[in-house]
Structure formats: C-alpha cells, structure tokens
Amino acid sequence: MATAAATSASEPEAESKAGPKADGEEDEVKAARTRRKVLSRAVAAATYKTMGPGWDQQEEGVSESDGDEYAMASSAESSPGEYEWEYDEEEEKNQLEIERLEEQLSINIYDYNCHVDLIRLLRLEGELTKVRMARQKMSEIFPLTEELWLEWLHDEISMAQDGLDREHVYDLFEKAVKDYICPNIWLEYGQYSVGGIGQKGGLEKVRSVFERALSSVGLHMTKGLALWEAYREFESAIVEAARLEKVHSLFRRQLAIPLYDMEATFAEYEEWSEDPVPESVIQNYNKALQQLEKYKPYEEALLQAEAPRLSEYQAYIDFEMKIGDPARIQLIFERALVENCLVPDLWIRYSQYLDRQLKVKDLVLSVHNRAVRNCPWTVALWSRYLLAMERHGVDHQVISDSSKELEELRAAFTRALEYLKQEVEERFNESGDPSCVIMQNWARIEARLCNNMQKARELWDSIMTRGNAKYANMWLEYYNLERAHGDTQHCRKALHRAVQCTSDYPEHVCEVLLTMERTEGSLEDWDIAVQKTETRLARVNEQRMKAAEKEAALVQQEEEKAEQRKRARAEKKALKKKKKTRGPEKRGADEDDEKEWGDDEEEQPSKRRRVENSIPAAGETQNVEVAAGPAGKCATVDVEPPSKQKEKAASLKRDMPKVLHDSSKDSITVFVSNLPYSMQEPDVKLRPLFEACGEVVQIRPIFSNRGDFRGYCYVEFKEEKSALQALEMDRKSVEGRPMFVSPCVDKSKNPDFKVFRYSTSLEKHKLFISGLPFSCTKEELEEICKAHGTVKDLRLVTNRAGKPKGLAYVEYENESQASQAVMKMDGMTIKENVIKVAISNPPQRKVPEKPETRKAAGGPMLLLQTYGARGKGRTQLSLLPRALQRPSATAPQAENGPAAAPAVAAPAATEAPKMSNADFAKLFLRK
C-alpha cells in the first residue's frame, strides 16, 4: 500500500545522505526491506478485496522491481527543460499568492480556507519545511479532516529516514486518530507500523496499533472489514506455529461482529482451518448475521444519501440508543461527526450521553475538548466542558495576585470585549452584551479575588456609560459590590448618582439610600438624602403624570377613530340589509309592470344595462320610467326595452335557480371559492373531484343576476367525515387557479371566523425563502432543500390566480436541519436569483374590529349618508319636481321598506300620491 511505497521511496534518499554502509548492515537492510514488502503486499491484497480497486491507485508510485522510486521524489528531481520560463512564471504567481495568504493569516489566524490554500501552494512549490510549519499551526487551531491528515502523513513518510523520523511519524498518527475516528487513517497507521517490524519492539508495536484500531473502528459495518483482514494477513505472514491460534482467534472475533461480506469471511475460515468450525463460532456467526439484517436499512440509507446525511445519521443514532450497546453508540456518533463536525446539537447529544452513561474520564474530556475545538462559538459546549472538568476533578488554575496570571486574565477579558465590539456591534449594529455581563464578572473578580476596587469602579463606570445608568437593578448591583468590598463613602456616592439617573424604578434606589443613611449616616447626611429623594420623586411623578395624560389623549384619539370605523361598518351593513329585505317587493313590482314611489334604486342600474344598446322599433309604445334616490335628489329617465327583450329578461330572471343554504347542514358542507369565472357547468366539473372524498349530495354553484358564474359554490356531502376530508383539497389547482376549500360557517353569526391553515408564530423547524425565480418549480426547490435534511413539507406561495410570488415555506424534520439549511442556503443563487433564507417568523396579523351600530338617543339607527348600488356618483342630478319631493328625515323607515302611515292624518302637501309610469310621462309631456 501507500505506506510501503512511501517507505521504499525514502530509502534511496537515506542512503545518499548517510553514505556507504558496512556489507552486513546492507544485507540486513535488504532483508528487512524484502520482509516489509511481502507483508505489505499481503495486507494490500486483503484490503483490495474489501475496498476495491480504488486503493490500488495509491500504490502507483511503487515499483514492482525494487520499490526505490516515489512520485514526489521523481518530480522534485526532474531537471528543467526548454519550457523553464513557463515554470518560472507560474512559480512567481504562486509566490505572490503565498505572500498574500501569509499576510491574510497574520491578520486573521482563524481563516480556515486560507490555511488550506497556503498548505496547497507550499506543497506545490516543494517548500517542505514551510509546509510542515503551516500544517502544525493549522492543527493547533483546527481539527484536520481525514484528507488533510493523510496528505500530511504521506509527505512525512516520504521524508522519514531513520528511527527518529519514524517516531515523529508515529506521533503524527497519534494526533490524527484523536481528531476524528477514521478507518482509513487507522489502516494507514497499522500498515506503516508493519514497516518498522525490524526495529526493537516492532512486533509489539504493530499488534498494539491493530488492537487499538479494532477497538476503535472494528465495529464499522462497511470499513471495519479492511482492518480485520489486514490484521489477519499480518499474523498469517509470520510463519510460527504459535501464531496459528492468533489467526483462529481473529477469525472467531470477526465472525461474531455484524459486518458486510461476512459470508465470504466465513467461507475463507472454513477453507483455511484444517479442523471443522466449532459450534460456538457458528452460533455467534448466525447471531451476527441476524443483527446485520437489522442494521442494513440504516447502512443502505447512508450509502444512498449524499453528505452530510445528518438526518440519516440521527435515525441511526436513535436506533442504536434503543439497543443500548455503548461501543456501537460511540462509533455511530463518531461516524456522524466526521461529516457533521460543525453541528453543535450533535456534539451536545454525544457529550451528554458520555456524561450520563459511560462516565469514563479520559473519553469524556477528550470528546468535550474536540467539541469546543470544532464549534468554539457555542457557549453550551464550553459550559458543559467546564462542568465535566469539575466533575472529574481536573485541577483548575486559581486566580492569584501573580502578575503573569493576572495579566493573562485581563487580556482575555479585553479580547472578549474587543471581539464583541468588532464582530457584533460594528457588523450587526447590535450590542453583543447589552447587560455587560462580561464586564460585571471582570469587576467582581477584580474586587473579590484581586482586591482591586479601583479597577472594579472603572469597569462599573464604563458599564454605566453604555446606557445602563437608567436601570435601578444595575445601580443596586454596583452598590452591593461596594458594600461587600468597598467603603461607605463610595456606597453613598453611588446611591446619590443612582437617585439622579434612574428612570425605571427610582423609588427602590431612594429607599436603599434612606435605609443606609438611617443606619450608618449622620443627621446631616440623612437630611441631604431626604431632600434629594423627595425632589427626585416629585419630578418623577410630574413626568409620569404628563406621560399618562399624553398616553390617554392618544388612546382617546384611537378610540374615536375606532368608533368612526365601527359606525361606518354598521351603516354599510344596515344599508345592505335594507336593500336585501326590499328585494321581493321589487320583483313583484317588476312582474306587474308597476313601480311604487320610494322603491329602492338598486334596480335602476340593471334596467339601464338592459336598454343601453337596444333601439325601439317604430310604432311601438315606449314607457318612461323615473327613479329617485333615497334623499330625493337624484332621478333618471330610462326608456324601457322592446317587449321581446323585456320578456326574455324577465323569463331569464324567473328561470334562474335560487341558491338557498340550510345552515343546519354546515357540518357536512364545504365552501369552495376562487374558481375560474369562465368555468362552464361547475357542478358537472367539480363533482368527480369531490366524489373522491365521499358521496356528494349536491353541488350548488352561485350565479349573478345575468347568469354568470361568480367563482364559488357549496358542496354538500352525505357524511361529515367526507367534508373534513374535502378540506385537505384546499389550494388544489383547478383550471390553472388554486381552489380554496374552507368550512361552511355563517359569517353573520361568527364574524371573527377566519380560515388560515398555517401557523403565524415562530417555527424553528420551518424556513421562509424569498427571492425565488418565478420559473422555479416545487420539485426543483425540494431537490435543493433535501441536501440539508429531511423535507416534511414544501409550499410555494401563489396569488389568487395561481401565479408564483417568489416565496416559499420549507418544513424540516427538526431545528438542527433547519439551522444547517439556513447557513448553507442563505445567499444561494438559483437561476440567476440570489435567494434569502430565514427561520419562519411571520409578522403578527391585525385583528379586524367588530362592527357596531350607532344608536341615536331615541333608539333607531342613524345613517350618515346613503348612496346607490354603485356608490356615490360623480353627477347625481335631481330630476324630480320640487312639488313631489318628500323630506327623508321625517319619514320613519320600517325594517323592510316604508313605514305604515300614522293614524293621525297628515297634511296633503307633505304626502305624495302613488303615481304610475304613465303619470310620470304626462308630467314630462306637459313641459
């Protein structure tokens, strides 16, 4: 494998530097080299069976003859050719980029990508010493990934020349296996240790490494097999009779663990063993096969999903937690963290399990340390780490008067404050620590542990200048610190300042000041305190009274505006009810071809529509019709249509079906709206759609007076469960428009009833996406969102016509998936549109006010103004003679029309006789 190749490649370089050796030493070196080569190839052959031909590509630098060539060495030794100037230009570019990256790291050493780019360029330029230093600096700050560690290890192996270098490589392997549990690194470690078998204690070192590797990742379902086979091949390569039992033991241990390709391992054991396989081994093997069938669905889900596969790992962890095997639980957590190392919730769950269940000191503290290295921004991980150290008795450094320790502590507090100022306040325009908790702790430490009240007072002065001087609790906190570690004079000074500055609860501060002066102050101090507190409280009460009056005036204005809105709604509702109740009288008058004086003018617009495009035929009688508004100021003259058109319109109106709704059937009826107005025969087209929910008794579409479909209908079912199931069809597309399906509720009895399916509060597992291109489909967006977790629901927001608005809501399985999706999707470009992604937190909707009617002193409802069916016209001319006008204010109105005539006879001048259309015609002809 790669280790053998790297080892053989490093030997010619060692010989060139060390000079000639004795013949005996050369023979020994050659013998050791041959033995390593045989063992490594045996291990590589076993690994090839499991890992496939991908591993073979790592050994392309190994020569089959003697293995003395290595790809990096050969490239470094190549002489410049005729294109040397091209390489010089590329090298100059790389050097400039290296200088830029080094300067960037000097400014911000926590730039992860900058570290990676610098290492790549230095390695490309062959700067091996600088590469080593850059990697060392990066590993001190960040845990390295498997790829970075393997690259580093291969480079160090290629440069290893003697035993000291080999020990250095061993140290690197120890650091690598501590960052993350990676089977590939353990396999490299074991194979590299095989190369040192000729050294003192080499055999024990190899066995120790393989045993540790098996205890760490030997249970890995898919990659653990390579380690087992490499260990067995190593033991088989040692030709000793005593080692046969060791190989037997490895076979038996492996067959008792559920691993992929177990059948081939069992067949290999049967072929290798001269004796029959013991019954106990067969039982353990069958038991492992049964366990493998339980684990396969979760392993296959991981194989099919794409990284980071957080939801799949969490399901796997839940399964392992139910079984309760600590070794397997630890392994699945480690596997999940390799791909999700930046998810704090996963680290918290892992560390919580170790704290409560295993309680092994070294393991627990190691995991806590790795957690804060991967997610140093998470406060919960740091607090758990500190608790774990205290729980396991780790020695804490006690803060003392030592100048070095004290300066380090103060420097840490200073860095924290500078970080909050630069990274939070300047970038987000918000205070990262509004209550100044960090500075309060710093002041408390200075006062209690360092006996430096002067520094504590300076810190509290800084706290108060940051907008905290108006809060009584802040002053009382400062006062308590002075009482415990300061003197009475500074306590008095702090309370006097508090009395003048506090604006939220000045009474508390005044009471504390008076209490202190009563017990510890002189008579003069008491008088000064009383005078200051009384003056301050009087000023505060005056300010509060002014504020209360101002607030009361604003509330009164709001109430008046609300009252006006209520009156307007009540008047509009009363007018609508009045028109509705007069409808039957109009229809009767229309059929008898007679109109009574004072009828509602709602029929006039429809009459004008019927005749505006019609021309009466010659010789036909034309009737003149005059209508007056409710105030007697508006009258219009319309010419009636021809008799045929009149009969046709009347028949159309008589034949139009009346849609009556029985409110007792609301529980089995749904209200369907937002349907296309152009829909022909809505009942026929909608019936198959709703019959999927249950038996449909009736579909009642609503038409206008002209026979046009108005876009909504009632659907009555036979059973209530069918109606409930039909509500799930809300927003279903019908002829290109989203169909709205809602419960059938009488709005007059339930005016506050609103149908809104979705939550209007904060939902941490749901995302709100804006800025989407209108051409983006639900399937395309779902494919993008699935990469970050399990999508439970996805909704594209559309208008009433079904056109997308560029907005969407995506619901994930849990909060961690949603937070991860926000970090990775916010600012993403989709079809040249930059989208914005945030946690769903809709603004609060304004609740409509309930309309109330305004009553006059006498009881009847007053209408401020009344307009026609089309509202207030721009030109409403009165065509009614003044002699025939009636004052509307004196005519009492009944609920469904004009009130009955009073018993007392009224003057003839104030009562207009009933007139027919012919009478109106005569009046106009007289002029």
Side-chain angles (χ1 to χ4, degrees), residues 274 285 295 388 489:
E274 297 177 357
Y285 167 70
Y295 288 114
Q489 187 63 29

Side-chain angles (χ1 to χ4, degrees), residues 260-289:
Y260 271 40
D261 205 13
M262 290 186 63
E263 296 83 357
T265 305
F266 185 77
E268 183 181 353
Y269 185 32
E270 286 182 323
E271 182 181 353
W272 180 84
S273 178
E274 297 177 357
D275 301 328
V277 179
E279 185 64 27
S280 60
V281 176
I282 296 176
Q283 290 178 358
N284 291 334
Y285 167 70
N286 292 329
K287 184 179 179 181
L289 280 177

Side-chain angles (χ1 to χ4, degrees), residues 229-510:
E229 294 191 349
Y231 194 8
R232 279 193 286 103
E233 293 294 339
F234 165 73
E235 292 290 350
S236 300
I238 302 175
V239 185
E240 295 180 15
R243 299 304 151 210
L244 294 177
E245 184 59 32
K246 184 71 174 178
V247 178
H248 275 289
S249 174
L250 288 174
F251 265 119
R252 293 166 184 171
R253 288 167 60 190
Q254 180 182 351
L255 291 173
I257 298 173
L259 298 172
Y260 271 40
D261 205 13
M262 290 186 63
E263 296 83 357
T265 305
F266 185 77
E268 183 181 353
Y269 185 32
E270 286 182 323
E271 182 181 353
W272 180 84
S273 178
E274 297 177 357
D275 301 328
V277 179
E279 185 64 27
S280 60
V281 176
I282 296 176
Q283 290 178 358
N284 291 334
Y285 167 70
N286 292 329
K287 184 179 179 181
L289 280 177
Q290 294 175 0
Q291 292 177 350
L292 179 62
E293 293 300 321
K294 297 179 181 178
Y295 288 114
K296 268 188 177 180
Y298 299 96
E299 292 290 343
E300 291 173 356
L302 289 175
L303 292 174
Q304 294 172 3
E306 297 181 358
R309 301 178 286 196
L310 179 60
S311 58
E312 288 79 11
Y313 275 120
Q314 287 179 336
Y316 205 163
I317 290 171
D318 294 338
F319 174 72
E320 290 287 10
M321 295 283 275
K322 291 179 181 178
I323 296 177
D325 186 349
R328 298 197 67 89
I329 293 173
Q330 183 184 353
L331 178 62
I332 191 59
F333 268 116
E334 293 289 349
R335 289 175 62 184
L337 288 169
V338 170
E339 298 182 11
N340 300 275
C341 59
L342 301 180
V343 180
D345 292 343
L346 194 59
W347 284 107
I348 290 174
R349 188 178 181 186
Y350 186 22
S351 60
Q352 185 176 354
Y353 169 76
L354 296 178
D355 287 335
R356 296 179 179 178
Q357 301 296 329
L358 296 187
K359 302 179 181 179
V360 180
K361 177 180 178 180
D362 294 337
L363 176 60
V364 170
L365 294 180
S366 172
V367 171
H368 278 291
N369 184 37
R370 291 163 54 205
V372 297
R373 287 192 71 198
N374 282 274
C375 304
W377 61 85
T378 307
V379 178
L381 291 176
W382 285 102
S383 62
R384 288 175 178 273
Y385 190 14
L386 294 173
L387 290 174
M389 288 193 292
E390 186 175 357
R391 192 177 295 117
H392 292 282
V394 177
D395 293 333
H396 295 279
Q397 294 182 351
V398 181
I399 300 174
S400 63
D401 292 332
S402 171
S403 59
K404 183 179 178 181
E405 295 178 356
L406 186 57
E407 290 303 322
E408 289 179 356
L409 178 65
R410 288 172 176 169
F413 276 117
T414 304
R415 287 198 305 271
L417 296 176
E418 290 178 355
Y419 175 81
L420 289 175
K421 182 178 180 181
Q422 295 175 1
E423 300 296 327
V424 180
E425 295 179 9
E426 295 181 1
R427 293 179 61 181
F428 301 101
N429 294 324
E430 292 182 5
S431 176
D433 189 10
S435 300
C436 298
V437 176
I438 294 176
M439 296 183 71
Q440 288 188 46
N441 290 329
W442 187 1
R444 200 173 293 117
I445 290 171
E446 292 282 358
R448 294 180 180 177
L449 302 177
C450 303
N451 296 323
N452 189 353
M453 277 304 299
Q454 183 62 31
K455 182 65 176 178
R457 291 177 186 126
E458 292 176 1
L459 290 170
W460 268 105
D461 287 339
S462 179
I463 291 172
M464 293 305 180
T465 57
R466 298 192 177 196
N468 294 302
K470 58 185 178 181
Y471 300 117
N473 63 328
M474 301 297 287
W475 284 107
L476 294 178
E477 185 73 22
Y478 178 30
Y479 166 75
N480 291 331
L481 187 68
E482 285 285 358
R483 290 285 291 179
H485 306 284
D487 51 44
T488 305
Q489 187 63 29
H490 283 92
C491 289
R492 181 177 291 110
K493 184 178 178 181
L495 288 177
H496 278 286
R497 290 174 60 194
V499 169
Q500 297 298 325
C501 299
T502 304
S503 60
D504 56 349
Y505 300 106
E507 296 88 352
H508 295 177
V509 179
C510 293

Side-chain angles (χ1 to χ4, degrees), residues 32 47 50 91 94 134 156 175 230 297 308 334 430 440 459 525 566 591 631 640 670 694 706 725-726 855:
T47 308
T50 306
E91 184 178 354
N94 291 340
E156 293 292 342
K175 291 181 180 179
E334 293 289 349
E430 292 182 5
Q440 288 188 46
L459 290 170
D525 294 332
K566 290 177 182 178
E591 291 173 1
E640 288 185 355
V670 295
R706 302 176 63 182
Q725 186 177 354
K855 299 283 185 176

Side-chain angles (χ1 to χ4, degrees), residues 806-827:
L807 309 174
Y809 288 91
V810 182
E811 182 180 354
Y812 280 95
E813 195 171 33
N814 50 48
E815 297 178 11
S816 61
Q817 294 180 6
S819 60
Q820 186 178 9
V822 169
M823 290 190 295
K824 295 189 176 181
M825 291 178 60
D826 189 29

Side-chain angles (χ1 to χ4, degrees), residues 708-723:
D708 299 329
F709 180 49
R710 301 185 65 179
Y712 58 91
C713 65
Y714 295 91
V715 180
E716 181 182 339
F717 291 92
K718 188 174 183 180
E719 298 179 349
E720 184 176 352
K721 64 178 182 179
S722 302

